[in-house]
Amino acid sequence: MMAAKRKVAKKKVAKKKAAKKKAAKKKVSTRRRSTSASAPVQVAESTDDVQRLLKVLCDTGKLIDVRMAALQSLGAAAFSVPNFESVSADYIAALREVSTDSHEQLRRRSLGILMRNKDGFAQKKLLDGLKNPAKALLPPEKALQLLGNDAHAGAYSVARAIVKKPPNQDAKREALRLLAADVKSAPMFEKVLRDKNELRENRQLAASALHSLNPQKLQQQALKILKDKSDYSDIKATSLTALEQFGDDAKFAKDKALMLSVTRFNSSKTPAKYKQSARRFLSKYDQ
Amino acid sequence: MNVELQINNSTAPEARFVTWVPSPCRIRVTDPSGASASTVSVKIAAVSAANGGAVGFRSGTTGALASSLTLTVPTNGTTVPFFVAGRFGQPSTKSGDVKIEARVGNTLVGSSQLMVRIRKNANKLTNGERDRFIAAFAKLNNQGLGRFADFNNMHKASGYSQAHAAPGFLPWHRAYLLDLERELQAIDPSVALPYWRFDQPAPNVFTRDFLGESDANGTVKFRNGNPLEFWVTDGTPGINRTPDFPTSQAPPNPMKEAQTLALGSQFRTFRGMEGNPHGLAHTSFGGSIQDPTTAAKDPLFFLLHCNVDRLWAKWQRQNGRFDPATATSFDERPTSRPGHKLNDTMWPWNGITSPADPTRPSNAPGGTLATSPCVAAPGLQPRVKDCIDYPGAINAAANMGFGYDDVQI
């Protein structure tokens, strides 16, 4: 009995190995094919068309361009095909299937659509990949960006860990973006915004996050940045925009030090593209 | 002597905006001093600023527009009607860049500054037009909690069937864009919604100064100082958008304008444009604009749809399809679900939710449609048929108060 079971298990392993070999062959061939010209994109008009396109999408024997074109057609069908909801479960199942495909572009797109539909399967796959890079379907920065479609406590803890020890700067930026929905992260964003050693792109993002999480704090920090002669022009332009767009006009009109700082910013060696923010601000107060 | 000019029959500054459609105006004597008779002959003409808009006049509801008009105005304060319209091909670039002057003889007795406010190609906006538009949009979004949140919510999954895959697709989105545009105009009246011609290259649109530049990861980047750097939706800052085409070129898949206009002379065939070019314009990108339920998170969505509406407007003019009572102007079907028949009111502006009608969503974000100080249509709770005769070609009262730079009326 045991021997028979072992024999079956061996056969299963052999079958799996053969399947893996076949898949690996396909991976190579599809990668080669991906350089071919774009396939024409057709528009689905009915749920039958959708079913046909789903088969093309999942067919690993087809050229990747043909499968990507099918995905684009399916996306358009989601906007316009009557009764699309009757095939949406099949659509989601197909997207899950191709989310582990050998082609990264297809994984990116399918996981993107799934995450925008707040799909639990995709969310788990992406979180698992961030915790264990060997399992990752996408680079960490893309996974974090997609997780931002359905941010929650589980994703926040992973994002916090990545901010502390980022695998690359893009991943840190996307982790910060994800945390912008987390109220507890407001003090961290305040720190990032004021840190002159931080990447300016991250400081710009911190201003946006703080505007969302604690707008009063952003206004306070923006005022400080504008009055700080040693801070950078681009961050000052961001701060000015925050004040001009969302601040208390009456209060600013009485702030002589602010007006002086902005006038100085406008007349100094500031690049022209940022001076525009100063001019827009000053024109509000007839300065 | 002094006269008062009432644009759109109003003295309010926010009503001093016209399109290609003649706007009803009035003139009256407010100070008759110096008048020796019971009436006075007043000549009105327009003065345009450099690169400013141009207008023409007529005294009645029909007839050609003239560059000046002489009106006999009673000195007792009674109003006299006239009409003013933008000259096709000469829209304004900023508020008040056209001035109507009223003269008795050579004496200036009154004036009013106005704007020929027209929806334009986003790729051709002046820097000023672009900057005013994005500033107003950022204000509407404010923290992701501003009025824009309603527009984002209107286009989510629950409202999908109210607006898509059915005959009401084009009228619903016309009302949706107009609602948003009026909210932008409440912030800055000089703003008109621009359109993204997805069948032409639009390199000026996908820049850090306008709708942003996508990096390899699909994160959209803005120049510091572009107010859209503070864009937030559903609690998350920023925009995700990955173009599948070089943004110096047009996306390859959506059909061209000429092909779209040749989809047939009946609305029931023309509305096939919902799949192509509309759907394929959406799916020329990865990111939120790719999916119906998240598309409205990206400001580009509104420029894409403005072009969809422009194509419909152009098709309507080409085929004379403004009369809702004519079968070729709409695809009326007894089997269409509520919200997709001519006499149906449209969600969410009608406030009808699932407890009252199970075919409607459970909530109705945003309330009634925003009003305009310039026109009365399409009303607070527009019906499908209220969104067809947008220039008031059949019924002047149906004029919705918008126009396109390349669509004559």
Side-chain angles (χ1 to χ4, degrees):
Chain A
M1 187 75 171
M2 285 296 279
K5 266 189 181 171
R6 245 180 258 133
K7 215 177 176 182
V8 171
K10 264 189 183 174
K11 262 190 181 174
K12 271 187 183 170
V13 170
K15 251 189 178 176
K16 265 188 185 172
K17 273 187 181 170
K20 260 192 178 176
K21 259 191 179 176
K22 208 176 165 186
K25 260 191 181 176
K26 263 183 192 168
K27 263 184 199 177
V28 173
S29 61
T30 45
R31 239 179 262 137
R32 273 190 202 137
R33 285 169 186 173
S34 68
T35 53
S36 64
S38 294
V41 177
Q42 285 161 353
V43 175
E45 288 177 357
S46 66
T47 50
D48 287 346
D49 289 347
V50 171
Q51 293 292 0
R52 187 180 49 76
L53 286 165
L54 289 174
K55 279 186 188 148
V56 175
L57 174 67
C58 295
D59 185 348
T60 53
K62 289 254 192 279
L63 292 170
I64 185 60
D65 292 326
V66 171
R67 297 171 71 200
M68 289 300 289
L71 186 59
Q72 196 181 351
S73 299
L74 286 162
F79 281 96
S80 60
V81 166
N83 207 20
F84 186 84
E85 55 275 19
S86 68
V87 289
S88 60
D90 295 337
Y91 182 41
I92 296 294
L95 290 170
R96 286 179 178 176
E97 188 180 327
V98 299
S99 70
T100 55
D101 195 88
S102 59
H103 285 280
E104 186 182 332
Q105 184 61 5
L106 190 50
R107 295 200 301 272
R108 278 178 180 253
R109 282 296 159 89
S110 54
L111 284 163
I113 299 168
L114 288 169
M115 277 309 300
R116 285 189 287 278
N117 284 284
K118 306 193 187 308
D119 182 77
F121 168 89
Q123 195 173 71
K124 187 174 179 314
K125 286 273 182 198
L126 293 173
L127 278 172
D128 288 350
L130 286 171
K131 288 172 192 162
N132 180 1
K135 284 186 176 177
L137 294 170
L138 296 178
E141 57 274 20
K142 190 68 192 175
L144 285 158
Q145 185 196 66
L146 295 182
L147 282 165
N149 285 290
D150 192 15
H152 59 85
Y156 292 152
S157 61
V158 176
R160 269 190 221 104
I162 286 174
V163 170
K164 273 185 193 158
K165 202 178 165 190
N168 61 58
Q169 283 302 333
D170 284 350
K172 181 176 176 181
R173 183 195 67 208
E174 291 306 328
L176 285 170
R177 193 184 305 282
L178 196 152
L179 289 168
D182 173 28
V183 182
K184 287 181 195 159
S185 298
M188 177 194 70
F189 283 115
E190 211 176 334
K191 217 172 125 193
V192 172
L193 177 59
R194 292 308 310 274
D195 183 356
K196 288 177 195 161
N197 296 317
E198 182 59 79
L199 279 184
R200 306 241 272 288
E201 192 182 5
N202 290 347
R203 293 182 71 193
Q204 185 187 21
L205 173 57
S208 178
L210 208 51
H211 176 56
S212 174
L213 295 171
N214 191 338
Q216 279 178 332
K217 279 277 180 229
L218 172 66
Q219 293 292 315
Q220 287 168 12
Q221 293 300 346
L223 277 170
K224 283 182 191 168
I225 288 168
L226 278 164
K227 291 172 185 174
D228 180 347
K229 287 180 187 168
S230 68
D231 215 326
Y232 296 101
S233 297
D234 49 2
I235 299 301
K236 285 191 176 184
T238 292
S239 302
L240 260 176
T241 304
L243 298 182
E244 189 230 328
Q245 286 278 309
F246 312 113
D248 181 346
D249 291 347
K251 194 177 118 192
F252 298 153
K254 291 176 200 156
D255 189 338
K256 284 183 183 164
L258 171 66
M259 292 300 166
L260 197 66
S261 301
V262 181
T263 307
R264 200 185 305 124
F265 183 64
N266 189 31
S267 55
S268 65
K269 286 178 184 166
T270 310
K273 59 192 177 188
Y274 301 131
K275 275 187 180 176
Q276 194 189 337
S277 306
R279 282 197 295 274
R280 210 168 51 206
F281 182 88
L282 292 170
S283 69
K284 262 179 116 170
Y285 304 98
D286 296 324
Q287 298 282 317
Chain B
M1 177 180 292
N2 278 315
V3 301
E4 176 185 83
L5 292 157
Q6 300 175 2
I7 311 300
N8 286 307
N9 288 343
S10 168
T11 54
E14 55 271 24
R16 292 174 195 159
F17 296 87
V18 298
T19 64
W20 310 138
V21 178
S23 286
C25 302
R26 290 189 293 231
I27 184 170
R28 73 182 183 100
V29 172
T30 50
D31 174 9
S33 55
S36 55
S38 60
T39 61
V40 63
S41 183
V42 182
K43 186 179 177 184
I44 53 173
V47 180
S48 300
N51 299 318
V55 296
F57 306 94
R58 73 186 187 199
S59 57
T61 53
T62 56
L65 295 168
S67 55
S68 66
L69 186 67
T70 301
L71 298 161
T72 303
V73 185
T75 51
N76 65 2
T78 304
T79 59
V80 172
F82 69 97
F83 290 83
V84 60
R87 290 259 187 213
F88 184 73
Q90 289 179 268
S92 292
T93 53
K94 58 186 177 189
S95 189
D97 67 10
V98 196
K99 188 160 78 170
I100 300 178
E101 292 183 341
R103 290 179 188 272
V104 174
N106 288 326
T107 310
L108 184 69
V109 293
S111 68
S112 181
Q113 284 183 296
L114 66 152
M115 179 181 191
V116 184
R117 189 174 59 193
I118 295 292
R119 294 178 179 177
K120 295 179 182 176
N121 186 335
N123 196 52
K124 295 178 181 172
L125 295 183
T126 65
N127 289 352
E129 288 172 316
R130 176 199 68 197
D131 292 346
R132 290 195 303 272
F133 169 67
I134 54 181
F137 218 159
K139 273 211 169 111
L140 195 69
N141 172 265
N142 190 13
Q143 282 176 264
L145 303 171
R147 176 78 168 89
F148 181 77
D150 290 328
F151 289 93
N152 183 20
N153 290 331
M154 281 181 208
H155 208 270
K156 285 185 176 170
S158 63
Y160 170 83
S161 64
Q162 303 297 310
H164 299 93
F169 164 73
L170 286 167
W172 190 92
H173 283 86
R174 180 167 279 176
Y176 183 55
L177 293 183
L178 186 66
D179 197 7
L180 178 101
E181 184 176 59
R182 287 178 176 180
E183 293 292 355
L184 293 174
Q185 288 165 352
I187 294 166
D188 182 344
S190 74
V191 167
L193 199 55
Y195 58 87
W196 169 47
R197 266 202 74 161
F198 39 67
D199 65 337
Q200 288 184 346
N204 300 331
V205 173
F206 300 101
T207 65
R208 291 186 182 218
D209 287 317
F210 198 173
L211 292 189
E213 205 174 80
S214 305
D215 70 7
N217 205 37
T219 297
V220 175
K221 299 193 172 180
F222 296 103
R223 179 157 345 270
N224 298 74
N226 179 336
L228 292 178
E229 67 184 321
F230 290 101
W231 189 259
V232 180
T233 53
D234 303 319
T236 307
I239 297 158
N240 300 325
R241 182 198 308 143
T242 310
D244 283 337
F245 57 97
T247 51
S248 58
Q249 298 170 19
N253 294 316
M255 64 169 65
K256 304 285 177 211
E257 177 176 301
Q259 294 170 296
T260 309
L261 296 176
L263 280 171
S265 61
Q266 310 234 346
F267 184 83
R268 76 165 172 271
T269 52
F270 178 73
R271 79 175 180 87
M273 62 102 79
E274 185 178 2
N276 187 7
H278 159 258
L280 292 185
H282 274 282
T283 59
S284 295
F285 302 87
S288 61
I289 199 162
Q290 188 189 7
D291 296 308
T293 57
T294 55
K297 286 160 72 81
D298 186 341
L300 176 64
F301 169 96
F302 295 91
L303 281 71
L304 184 162
H305 263 278
C306 194
N307 193 45
V308 168
D309 189 72
R310 184 188 68 90
L311 288 166
W312 182 27
K314 215 166 198 181
W315 175 87
Q316 287 184 291
R317 181 175 192 274
Q318 178 180 284
N319 298 287
R321 298 288 182 255
F322 295 112
D323 188 355
T326 306
T328 47
S329 298
F330 188 68
D331 185 10
E332 181 76 341
R333 295 167 188 237
T335 52
S336 289
R337 43 181 196 264
H340 293 275
K341 285 181 282 204
L342 279 170
N343 286 312
D344 291 348
T345 55
M346 294 187 286
W347 176 95
W349 305 286
N350 62 9
I352 299 175
T353 53
S354 50
D357 177 352
T359 68
R360 302 287 191 172
S362 59
N363 64 347
T368 53
L369 196 133
T371 56
S372 161
C374 303
V375 295
L380 297 174
Q381 298 186 338
R383 294 163 296 183
V384 171
K385 70 177 180 186
D386 297 325
C387 296
I388 292 174
D389 185 13
Y390 83 92
I394 306 298
N395 169 18
N399 174 17
M400 294 169 82
F402 69 88
Y404 291 99
D405 59 356
D406 67 343
V407 184
Q408 273 185 290
I409 54 141

